[in-house]
Amino acid sequence: MSKKIFSGVQPTGNLHLGNYLGAIKNFVELQNDKENQCIYCVVDLHSITVKQDAKILKRNIRETTATFIASGLNPENSIIFNQSTVSAHAEVAWILGCVSRMGWLSRMTQFKEKAGKDKEKASVGLYVYPVLMAADILLYDATHVPVGEDQKQHLELCRDIAQKFNNDFNAPNFLKVPEPLIQKQFSRIMSLKDGLKKMSKSDPSDLSRINLTDDKDLIINKIKKSKTDTLPMPGINDDLKKRPEVQNLLGIYSNLSNQSIDKVKDEFQGKNFSIFKDKLSELLVDKIDPIGKRIKDLLKDENYLDKILAKGSQKANNLATKKINEIKTLVGF
Ligand code: AQP
């Protein structure tokens, strides 16, 4: 069955292995199925929910676009654009914000994590972020949304918002209720320094993540310094629940080498951790270094990246205008 795919990535810099394995790698696989219609968005409106420097944001929008292309997205086959150039996203977010309930939003764990202890100081934008995300998806009648596991709750909220809108305006199936596409295994890549924290762009320690632009030496160094424990490499029957760092590294290996975790355990059982780390570094350098080099090359041609975004924006605007006009009619504007 053909799918309508929508997903986004925030241009907040330091795109990392978690973004790649949890989301972008999947974007490319979906695009390569010719039956699918794919829309991939650089969600710059989302990024300003925390303060950004204007010049750095501009650069990060291009860098995220370059990352999409370097990872294998093709602007001829997928619509690639940045969110702020299609004003319907913000307009629909307002309308959906009036349908959404405070109680729903206050249950969102990502807001709690990102706002930290001092919620009073978090932006209102950060609080209503999931409503904008719902607008992004519903505006294009997306049937499937590839995201990392951390976005599952927001996707569930998006489904609730779509259903409530359809009920409130007596328009059955008008907003399409989307399905999340979350990889079954290792959909959450964890920090290299703390196996209980997700790998994240905003972690103050650069050693916690593999950035997609890290070069060979940096990758090797970060894996060497990654946290493990004092126990030997696990065997097939060893439970990894109490060894989150080891589980994470094995998961990354299994994902990149397209092998089951049992196969990886079997290969390294009883061996020294340093042997495993060397092999993991080799695999990472092999997969990530070419992407990083391509990102750096693409960034030298800003004009090319801007043209991709402008073309994508035109296509996205055509689709969004039609839908927002229907939404406005239903609402009574
Ligand atoms: N650690 C991760 N493991 C798997 N998937 C991940 N994603 C992010 N981190 C991981 C997925 O990447 C896509 C784009 O994410 P985003 O940039 O829009 O926002 P995010 O989830 O907030 O990413 P970060 O790195 O955690 O950024 P900061 O530090 O700024 O909050 C999403 O599909 C996400 O699931």
Side-chain angles (χ1 to χ4, degrees):
M1 190 193 79
S2 77
K3 300 184 182 94
K4 245 186 168 182
I5 310 289
F6 181 95
S7 197
V9 174
Q10 295 190 68
T12 36
N14 298 333
L15 279 171
H16 52 73
L17 187 69
N19 297 128
Y20 179 69
L21 295 181
I24 301 171
K25 189 175 164 218
N26 211 359
F27 294 180
V28 178
E29 277 161 23
L30 288 161
Q31 167 200 261
N32 292 344
D33 180 342
K34 296 277 177 286
E35 297 255 299
N36 297 333
Q37 184 191 346
C38 299
I39 306 176
Y40 297 120
C41 187
V42 179
V43 285
D44 48 10
L45 294 176
H46 282 277
S47 71
I48 62 163
T49 53
V50 294
K51 197 169 180 326
Q52 303 292 331
D53 174 283
K55 280 206 185 96
I56 297 176
L57 177 59
K58 185 114 197 137
R59 183 182 159 83
N60 284 339
I61 291 169
R62 291 189 179 118
E63 187 167 324
T64 306
T65 311
T67 305
F68 281 174
I69 308 296
S71 304
L73 289 184
N74 180 344
E76 297 302 322
N77 301 335
S78 297
I79 297 179
I80 296 173
F81 73 107
N82 60 317
Q83 191 185 23
S84 62
T85 60
V86 180
S87 59
H89 287 253
E91 288 182 75
V92 172
W94 176 258
I95 294 169
L96 296 181
C98 297
V99 170
S100 310
R101 302 295 94 180
M102 290 284 287
W104 297 355
L105 283 167
S106 61
R107 283 194 281 277
M108 294 298 112
T109 53
Q110 193 183 73
F111 174 76
K112 290 178 196 161
E113 280 164 22
K114 288 200 173 177
K117 285 199 188 91
D118 204 353
K119 289 192 187 51
E120 299 288 312
K121 286 204 175 131
S123 72
V124 175
L126 191 65
Y127 187 68
V128 294
Y129 172 116
V131 177
L132 177 59
M133 179 167 158
D136 301 337
I137 297 163
L138 300 174
L139 194 49
Y140 297 98
D141 292 330
T143 57
H144 294 82
V145 183
V147 281
E149 219 261 335
D150 58 312
Q151 291 293 338
K152 193 169 166 212
Q153 195 186 30
H154 289 166
L155 239 297
E156 278 157 13
L157 180 78
C158 171
R159 292 165 59 87
D160 289 343
I161 293 174
Q163 274 156 348
K164 184 157 190 308
F165 181 95
N166 292 344
N167 272 337
D168 286 1
F169 294 98
N170 199 15
N173 299 322
F174 170 71
L175 291 180
K176 303 287 172 282
V177 179
E179 296 290 334
L181 283 178
I182 299 174
Q183 297 185 80
K184 288 196 180 59
Q185 273 206 322
F186 304 106
S187 52
R188 188 184 280 249
I189 304 298
M190 309 311 275
S191 156
L192 300 179
K193 290 280 152 201
D194 178 351
L196 297 176
K197 251 171 75 180
K198 81 166 185 159
M199 189 177 283
S200 153
K201 299 177 197 131
S202 53
D203 193 314
S205 166
D206 195 55
L207 288 176
S208 69
R209 62 180 163 261
I210 303 285
N211 300 307
L212 295 177
T213 47
D214 285 348
D215 63 18
K216 184 177 168 194
D217 292 344
L218 213 48
I219 293 174
I220 293 171
N221 190 36
K222 285 182 178 178
I223 293 299
K224 213 172 254 165
K225 291 198 170 141
S226 63
K227 190 174 167 197
T228 47
D229 54 34
T230 50
L231 297 170
M233 281 297 289
I236 289 199
N237 298 321
D238 289 331
D239 187 4
L240 293 175
K241 280 203 186 76
K242 293 206 171 109
R243 304 180 68 185
E245 286 83 16
V246 175
Q247 181 169 41
N248 188 40
L249 294 180
L250 286 172
I252 294 171
Y253 193 99
S254 139
N255 193 322
L256 287 172
S257 64
N258 285 323
Q259 295 181 85
S260 72
I261 198 88
D262 280 351
K263 184 114 199 299
V264 181
K265 278 175 166 175
D266 193 36
E267 188 180 339
F268 292 100
Q269 173 165 18
K271 293 195 177 136
N272 201 308
F273 257 112
S274 63
I275 296 176
F276 168 70
K277 282 189 168 183
D278 286 349
K279 287 274 179 207
L280 177 59
S281 296
E282 249 174 56
L283 200 53
L284 277 164
V285 169
D286 189 46
K287 302 274 177 189
I288 300 303
D289 193 47
I291 297 179
K293 284 193 176 124
R294 180 98 178 99
I295 294 173
K296 287 173 197 158
D297 267 354
L298 285 163
L299 279 171
K300 288 181 196 148
D301 193 350
E302 293 183 347
N303 210 5
Y304 171 70
L305 296 170
D306 292 350
K307 272 194 191 142
I308 289 176
L309 290 175
K311 217 167 150 189
S313 169
Q314 212 170 32
K315 290 184 199 162
N317 251 309
N318 288 342
L319 298 171
T321 304
K322 186 167 173 286
K323 191 73 181 179
I324 196 176
N325 286 341
E326 290 169 4
I327 292 174
K328 283 182 176 173
T329 304
L330 279 172
V331 172
F333 290 157

